[in-house]
Amino acid sequence: MTGSPVSLALIAAVADNGVIGDGGCMPWRLSSDLRRFKALTMGRPIVMGRRTFDSIGKPLAGRTNIVVTRNSGFRAEGVIVAADLTEALDAARRAARNESAAEVFVVGGGEIYRQAMASADRLHITHVHARPAGDVTFPPIDAAVWERVSAEDIPAGDKDSAPTTYAVYRRRGVPSR
Ligand SMILES: NC(=O)c1ccc[n+]([C@@H]2O[C@H](COP(=O)([O-])OP(=O)(O)OC[C@H]3O[C@@H](n4cnc5c(N)ncnc54)[C@H](OP(=O)(O)O)[C@@H]3O)[C@@H](O)[C@H]2O)c1
């Protein structure tokens, strides 16, 4: 089926030292960021690695959830299982067209961000101003490839463990949609 192109965005919270996870969890508490994540991704297909799915423990409501795994026996209620990233992105784009969504999101974790970065059109990055210990990082954001098109500084609220800057990056040389 053809139609208007579905763009691909990565969405991540990334500490100033590049850390995004530690021991299967995120090493911070950021209530305001979770609200933004929900608002941005609601109604749009989301793609995640099996370890990120395990850390969430259930599909995220209101979104088509696609989980990438090499384990052909993997099953989980309420998710589409994909054998590799290409299959996952194809399924996400199909779902987006069926749901009239203009964008699909890759929501982590580190392994999947690394593979998806080359095909992404846009990055939604919450820069977390902290330097936590961690075992998973986000790939470097190369300024020659990515243009920062917006940035908003957000002080830490009552339920946030650090101040953040929410920034959107667009791949250079690609017209905005
Ligand atoms: N800060 C953030 O915004 C953010 C967002 C999401 C996650 N995280 C954190 O990131 C961490 C998890 O990241 P991670 O790098 O360990 O794991 P991950 O990227 O979530 O998942 C990795 C798994 O995905 C599957 N996979 C990866 N590439 C594949 C491919 N090409 N084909 C088929 N399957 C593939 C494999 O599953 P199988 O082993 O089942 O084959 C692999 O073990 C956690 O700490 C989580 O809290 C942080």
Side-chain angles (χ1 to χ4, degrees):
M1 180 176 151
T2 54
S4 44
V6 176
S7 71
L8 173 63
L10 271 50
I11 183 166
V14 184
D16 289 339
N17 59 358
V19 164
I20 62 165
D22 189 37
C25 304
M26 287 193 242
W28 47 67
R29 183 162 179 253
L30 290 172
S31 219
S32 54
D33 193 54
L34 290 178
R35 279 198 302 277
R36 182 187 309 99
F37 174 90
K38 188 173 178 185
L40 283 168
T41 59
M42 190 53 67
R44 280 140 190 157
I46 55 174
V47 171
M48 71 192 88
R50 192 267 311 159
R51 289 206 283 267
T52 291
F53 177 72
D54 280 354
S55 80
I56 301 170
K58 59 176 180 9
L60 294 179
R63 288 147 281 192
T64 296
N65 287 234
I66 297 151
V67 176
V68 192
T69 175
R70 296 184 180 91
N71 174 359
S72 58
F74 179 87
R75 298 284 178 278
E77 205 178 322
V79 308
I80 295 171
V81 179
D84 58 33
L85 186 65
T86 305
E87 189 179 313
L89 295 179
D90 285 349
R93 288 193 165 104
R94 261 196 314 276
R97 290 191 188 99
N98 288 337
E99 297 158 12
S100 302
E103 192 167 39
V104 305
F105 283 94
V106 168
V107 301
E111 263 193 51
I112 298 297
Y113 289 138
R114 269 188 178 72
Q115 296 170 61
M117 189 108 168
S119 13
D121 303 297
R122 212 171 260 270
L123 312 175
H124 293 260
I125 305 294
T126 299
H127 294 283
V128 182
H129 300 308
R131 306 186 73 81
D135 52 17
V136 184
T137 57
F138 195 80
I141 299 171
D142 182 350
V145 176
W146 297 102
E147 176 191 8
R148 194 162 84 159
V149 290
S150 68
E152 182 191 352
D153 290 327
I154 300 155
D158 288 353
K159 295 180 180 167
D160 299 330
S161 57
T164 58
T165 302
Y166 166 61
V168 178
Y169 299 80
R170 189 173 61 197
R171 182 178 292 282
R172 292 186 188 278
V174 176
S176 54
R177 290 181 198 140

